């Protein structure tokens, strides 16, 4: 039945695609640097890394997949859907608070009445957040998780709830901070290793490999550094 | 010859519409065996989401009917300046993208309501009420004027005429409007996420729970979708049984 449906949609959509375009599915936290460094012939599709991975599992075929963690590309590689992934960037998980906020340390998030917005467990930023909190004393972790008011499907949702003044604090990547928000750094012992992995999708052409080379030391690597990412 | 050609063309168009509209829904059930459906519902969070969806949708519908019925009656039975403008304004949410509705609610009602179940009800009411208002207005407009006048001539007050003559006559149309609004509220996604957020048991309605499961557990997302399809179909069927939905068919 699924094939029938896909066939029907393909017939309906025939002619909409352009074979010359390189399609890159990328984590939404990569929006700014990849938009800067990619040429006109590259079509960028941003979304939650998990959502993009689910699309690839359902048969969607971009040429390159760039995720906000290594787990998802590694899983897809083991499932035979991707070529071998490489680590191309690093990020830092921080507590984001509005400019005038009095929150200066992770401990303050456990206070009663603090409203937190975090990523859902299913997106990388959400699992990094839970990993970081799990290194706190259990009592403190429990109190902080009890202050969570929303589990957003991607980083942009967390940032939006903060800039709107709905949430008092949230966990985001350092590169996601916007005007009006400031970062409270996490202690080193809580900091998860936020590594970004990318790979060519099985069956992609040479232009996919050229794009990966640009991510790994080319123009896109420069754009990533300019946007505040670490690169290998 | 010409009419034969036209008959075939309309038949093909209907077949294409039917296939396109039913195939994705059928695929949900084909892809999710009944056993998976039941086990997915046992999963923590799925029932919470469904229950929250039903509660918030019922609350929104109650508000819509209580406020919308007299408002639609006024729009249908009175001529006043700027009436066309008022009708256009109350219908505006029909054509607003849900993301715009979410932003607009945040801008208007501020963050104080965000993260509460009340915010979900507000979002559902905002996006669903025009569906009811439109149908209710049409239903009241098609009530025979002479009945309303007879009621007044016989000494019934304006309110009594509304309650005893206009509403009972318009019931099929009101039911149809209620079913449409209910369906729209049950499926609301974008405005809820932006305005209310997403937290299990508080603001995470069934569509939001489906979206969260889509990435990690496609089978659970399918199962929850199947339940939502079944609930929506039951609502549609109820509306038809009570005689509302296809009133236009029989006229």
């Amino acid at each position: 039945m699924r094939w029938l449906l896909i066939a029907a949609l393909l017939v309906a959509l025939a002619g909409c695609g352009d074979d010359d375009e390189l399609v890159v599915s990328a984590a939404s936290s990569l929006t700014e640097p990849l938009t800067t460094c990619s040429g006109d012939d590259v079509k960028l599709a941003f979304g939650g890394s998990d959502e993009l991975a689910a699309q690839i599992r359902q048969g969607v075929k971009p040429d390159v997949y760039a995720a906000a963690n290594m787990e998802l590309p590694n899983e897809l590689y083991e499932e035979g859907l991707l070529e071998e992934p490489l680590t191309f960037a690093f990020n830092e998980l921080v507590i984001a608070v509005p400019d005038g906020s009095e929150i200066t340390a992770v401990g303050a998030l456990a206070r009663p009445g603090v409203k937190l917005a975090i990523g859902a467990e299913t997106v990388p930023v959400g699992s990094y957040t839970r990993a970081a909190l799990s290194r706190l004393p259990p009592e403190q972790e429990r109190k902080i998780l009890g202050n969570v008011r929303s589990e957003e499907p991607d980083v942009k949702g967390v940032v939006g709830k903060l800039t709107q003044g709905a949430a008092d604090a949230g966990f985001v990547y350092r590169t996601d901070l916007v005007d009006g928000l400031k970062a409270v750094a996490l202690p080193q012992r809580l900091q998860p290793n936020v590594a970004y992995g990318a790979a060519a999708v099985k069956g992609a052409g040479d232009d996919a490999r050229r794009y990966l080379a640009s991510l790994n030391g080319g123009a896109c690597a420069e754009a990533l550094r300019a946007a505040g990412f670490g690169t290998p | 010859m010409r009419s034969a050609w036209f008959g075939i063309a309309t038949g093909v168009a209907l077949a294409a519409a039917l296939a396109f509209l039913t195939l994705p829904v059928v695929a949900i059930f084909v892809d999710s065996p009944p056993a998976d459906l039941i086990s997915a519902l046992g999963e923590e969070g799925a029932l919470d989401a469904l229950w929250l969806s039903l509660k918030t949708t019922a609350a929104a519908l109650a508000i819509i009917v209580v406020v919308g019925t007299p408002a639609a009656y006024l729009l249908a039975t009175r001529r006043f300046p700027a009436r066309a403008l008022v009708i256009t304004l109350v219908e505006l949410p029909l054509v607003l993208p849900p993301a715009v509705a979410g932003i607009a609610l945040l801008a208007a009602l501020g963050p104080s309501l965000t993260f509460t179940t009340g915010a979900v009800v507000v979002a559902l009411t905002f996006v669903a009420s025009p569906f009811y208002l439109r149908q209710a207005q049409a239903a009241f407009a098609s009530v025979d004027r002479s009945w309303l006048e007879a009621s007044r001539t016989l000494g019934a007050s304006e309110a009594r005429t509304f309650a005893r003559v206009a509403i009972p006559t318009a019931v099929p149309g009101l039911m149809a409007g209620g079913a449409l609004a209910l369906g729209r509220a049950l499926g609301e996604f974008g405005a809820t996420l932006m305005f209310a957020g997403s937290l299990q048991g508080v603001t995470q309605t069934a569509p939001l729970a489906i979206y969260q499961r889509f990435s990690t557990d496609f089978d659970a997302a399918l199962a929850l979708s199947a339940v939502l399809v079944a609930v929506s179909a039951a609502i549609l069927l109820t509306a038809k049984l009570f005689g509302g939905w296809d009133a236009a068919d029989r006229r």
Side-chain angles (χ1 to χ4, degrees):
Chain A
M1 178 51 79
R2 187 177 295 161
W3 293 116
L4 194 58
L5 181 63
I6 289 170
L9 285 176
L10 281 181
V11 171
L13 296 178
C16 296
D18 183 346
D19 284 345
D20 296 339
E21 272 186 346
L22 181 76
V23 180
V24 177
S25 283
S28 44
S29 48
L30 295 168
T31 304
E32 195 223 317
L34 294 198
T35 309
T36 316
C37 73
S38 303
D40 292 340
D41 52 342
V42 177
K43 197 170 158 250
L44 295 162
F46 296 105
S49 304
D50 58 329
E51 188 186 324
L52 300 170
Q55 287 172 357
I56 293 173
R57 286 195 175 108
Q58 288 297 310
V60 176
K61 287 258 176 214
D63 298 291
V64 174
Y65 172 55
N69 66 11
M70 289 303 296
E71 284 82 0
L72 286 165
N74 281 335
E75 277 173 34
L76 293 181
Y77 170 59
E78 276 157 29
E79 289 165 32
L81 296 165
L82 295 184
E83 291 174 14
E84 193 170 353
L86 61 94
T87 302
F88 68 94
F90 299 101
N91 212 333
E92 184 191 348
L93 187 71
V94 296
I95 302 167
V97 293
D99 271 337
S101 173
E102 286 166 10
I103 293 170
T104 52
V106 69
L109 303 181
R111 282 189 213 134
V114 173
K115 290 186 216 154
L116 287 182
I118 65 173
E121 207 165 358
T122 51
V123 273
V125 69
S127 63
Y128 288 134
T129 301
R130 284 166 181 78
L133 293 177
S134 71
R135 292 171 199 157
L136 289 169
E139 179 63 13
Q140 201 175 20
E141 180 194 10
R142 196 184 54 77
K143 279 187 184 156
I144 292 176
L145 287 176
N147 279 339
V148 170
R149 292 289 173 274
S150 189
E151 299 184 353
E152 298 286 329
D154 61 26
V155 177
K156 305 261 182 273
V158 179
V159 172
K161 292 293 188 289
L162 284 167
T163 52
Q164 283 306 312
D168 302 319
F171 284 84
V172 302
Y173 304 121
R174 185 174 280 282
T175 54
D176 286 307
L177 290 171
V178 296
D179 284 349
L181 299 183
K182 61 178 183 182
V184 174
L186 287 175
Q188 203 51 47
R189 69 193 162 83
L190 300 185
Q191 186 60 239
N193 177 29
V194 185
Y196 283 58
V201 175
K202 274 279 168 68
D206 283 340
D207 47 352
R209 272 168 284 283
R210 274 197 295 279
Y211 193 83
L212 286 170
S214 152
L215 274 179
N216 197 28
C220 282
E222 259 167 53
L224 285 164
R225 279 192 293 275
F229 287 87
T231 52
Chain B
M1 195 58 210
R2 268 174 81 136
S3 68
W5 171 85
F6 185 67
I8 291 167
T10 51
V12 168
L14 178 61
L18 188 68
F20 182 69
L21 294 177
T22 53
L23 219 57
V25 179
V26 172
I28 286 179
F29 287 97
V30 172
D31 280 356
S32 52
D36 286 9
L37 275 183
I38 292 159
S39 70
L41 282 182
E43 176 221 0
E44 189 216 358
L47 280 180
D48 274 357
L50 274 174
W51 178 230
L52 182 73
S53 263
L54 292 178
K55 272 194 304 193
T56 51
T57 300
L61 192 65
I63 296 169
I64 290 169
V65 169
V66 168
V67 179
T69 310
Y73 183 68
L74 181 69
L75 284 176
T77 55
R78 291 292 159 85
R79 297 288 171 272
F80 52 87
R83 178 173 169 273
L85 178 67
V86 171
I87 292 177
T88 309
L89 287 177
V90 298
E91 285 178 356
L92 195 58
L94 274 181
V95 293
L96 284 186
V100 175
I103 297 264
L105 288 172
L106 265 175
L109 301 174
S112 56
L113 212 54
T114 302
F115 304 146
T116 63
T117 305
V120 179
V121 175
V122 169
L124 302 191
T125 308
F126 182 78
V127 299
S129 50
F131 287 84
Y132 182 77
L133 280 170
R134 265 184 76 98
Q135 286 279 336
Q137 190 196 325
F140 284 129
S142 63
V143 172
D144 197 329
R145 282 301 156 88
S146 60
W147 294 9
L148 301 180
E149 270 151 34
S151 164
R152 287 187 205 109
T153 315
L154 293 172
S157 68
E158 193 63 30
R160 201 172 156 81
T161 303
F162 169 63
R164 292 300 182 84
V165 181
I167 288 185
T169 321
V171 147
L174 299 182
M175 290 286 294
L180 272 178
L182 207 158
R184 177 67 184 86
L186 205 56
E188 214 309 302
F189 174 76
T192 310
L193 182 60
M194 295 187 81
F195 180 52
S198 173
L199 190 69
Q200 186 186 328
V202 183
T203 51
Q204 192 181 73
T205 56
L208 268 57
I210 289 171
Y211 185 65
Q212 196 176 79
R213 280 160 183 72
F214 159 66
S215 51
T216 45
D217 192 349
F218 195 75
D219 290 336
L222 266 178
L224 208 49
S225 303
V227 174
L228 215 52
V229 171
V231 172
S232 309
I235 290 165
L236 199 59
L237 199 65
T238 311
K240 279 179 182 276
L241 284 179
F242 277 91
W245 190 271
D246 37 13
D249 236 14
R250 274 177 260 134
R251 206 167 287 140

